[in-house]
Amino acid sequence: DAMVIQNPRYQVTQFGKPVTLSCSQTLNHNVMYWYQQKSSQAPKLLFHYYDKDFNNEADTPDNFQSRRPNTSFCFLDIRSPGLGDAAMYLCATSRDTAGEGYEQYFGPGTRLTVT
Amino acid sequence: GQSLEQPSEVTAVEGAIVQINCTYQTSGFYGLSWYQQHDGGAPTFLSYNALDGLEETGRFSSFLSRSDSYGYLLLQELQMKDSASYFCAVRDKTGFQKLVFGTGTRLLVSP
């Protein structure tokens, strides 16, 4: 089945130690997104790629970076994680066509713990 | 900017009907979506209203009224597995395909 895969599902890192979360998709969608979701809150968009074009949200801290080496893969790098960065990180994809692009497909998420 | 408000929690019993409201203030959007998220799980798409009116998908229906800045998700014949968080979301016209989520409603279904 076509899907969005995130690895690892659970990640523990130390305060200030860089960490990378990965996402892959078999849907061949143009657009990939990274969201941060904290407990009992809505997902918050960090950035998205439309093909290779990177689009950062204005309030995304510089501590968060992303890479998309090809259509299928996208990475989230947290350069110096703080305790406040502990959250669920969700990767999502969508098509780019106006008629079909309204649905986003989410991966299962990576739960990040910062010690 | 976009702002979507939902009740924080709704409770109901199995077999009942429940309506989850979404009121919004936006500068323009393409359509209103609804997503379901079980605890520890990923959001999954439920429905989309591009136009005003009612969209029905099995036990779930969604409604949009742009003139009233209001939408809702209607869940019928509630089942225990419907206990989850529900988010409305709009596709922002100012950002390409950017989804702006509502505050979320936690639905608790009891026997």
Side-chain angles (χ1 to χ4, degrees):
Chain A
D1 289 340
M3 58 195 326
V4 182
I5 302 162
Q6 290 187 244
N7 286 303
R9 294 292 311 277
Y10 300 89
Q11 176 74 57
V12 180
T13 190
Q14 293 178 333
F15 183 95
K17 185 175 182 180
V19 65
T20 295
L21 310 181
S22 70
C23 176
S24 63
Q25 54 124 344
T26 60
L27 298 161
N28 202 33
H29 283 170
N30 295 60
V31 193
M32 294 188 77
Y33 310 79
W34 279 105
Y35 290 88
Q36 180 192 66
Q37 187 177 28
K38 297 188 174 181
S39 181
S40 302
Q41 296 183 19
K44 178 181 180 298
L45 183 65
L46 296 173
F47 23 61
H48 76 274
Y49 276 93
Y50 178 66
D51 290 327
K52 293 185 177 181
D53 292 334
F54 176 72
N55 298 272
N56 198 33
E57 292 300 298
D59 57 355
T60 298
D62 292 340
N63 198 27
F64 292 86
Q65 305 285 323
S66 186
R67 296 169 283 137
R68 189 179 186 186
N70 53 52
T71 300
S72 301
F73 286 87
C74 196
F75 300 97
L76 171 62
D77 300 308
I78 309 176
R79 293 190 299 185
S80 181
L83 297 179
D85 297 327
M88 176 75 85
Y89 289 88
L90 296 163
C91 174
T93 72
S94 71
R95 296 181 188 275
D96 63 348
T97 57
E100 300 175 20
Y102 55 82
E103 181 175 352
Q104 291 194 7
Y105 296 77
F106 285 82
T110 295
R111 183 165 296 283
L112 179 68
T113 300
V114 181
T115 61
Chain B
Q2 317 282 22
S3 172
L4 298 92
E5 294 293 326
Q6 301 177 236
S8 58
E9 188 173 289
V10 173
T11 59
V13 297
E14 271 188 304
I17 300 173
V18 72
Q19 179 173 311
I20 299 175
N21 297 324
C22 174
T23 56
Y24 59 84
Q25 293 182 332
T26 80
S27 53
F29 63 97
Y30 286 114
L32 183 71
S33 301
W34 287 91
Y35 285 79
Q36 177 192 61
Q37 186 177 29
H38 287 98
D39 285 347
T44 56
F45 173 80
L46 290 177
S47 68
Y48 177 71
N49 291 72
L51 304 173
D52 284 6
L54 192 68
E55 293 284 341
E56 298 182 71
T57 309
R59 294 188 297 115
F60 295 177
S61 303
S62 58
F63 174 81
L64 174 63
S65 169
R66 290 177 187 262
S67 60
D68 296 322
S69 298
Y70 166 72
Y72 66 73
L73 180 69
L74 190 73
L75 298 88
Q76 303 183 70
E77 301 173 16
L78 279 175
Q79 302 175 9
M80 296 291 289
K81 67 178 182 179
D82 297 330
S83 292
S85 293
Y86 292 84
F87 294 93
C88 59
V90 294
R91 283 181 63 215
D92 193 345
K93 276 190 173 181
T94 61
F96 183 76
Q97 296 203 45
K98 173 181 172 177
L99 266 187
V100 178
F101 284 89
T103 51
T105 299
R106 187 170 180 83
L107 172 64
L108 300 173
V109 181
S110 56

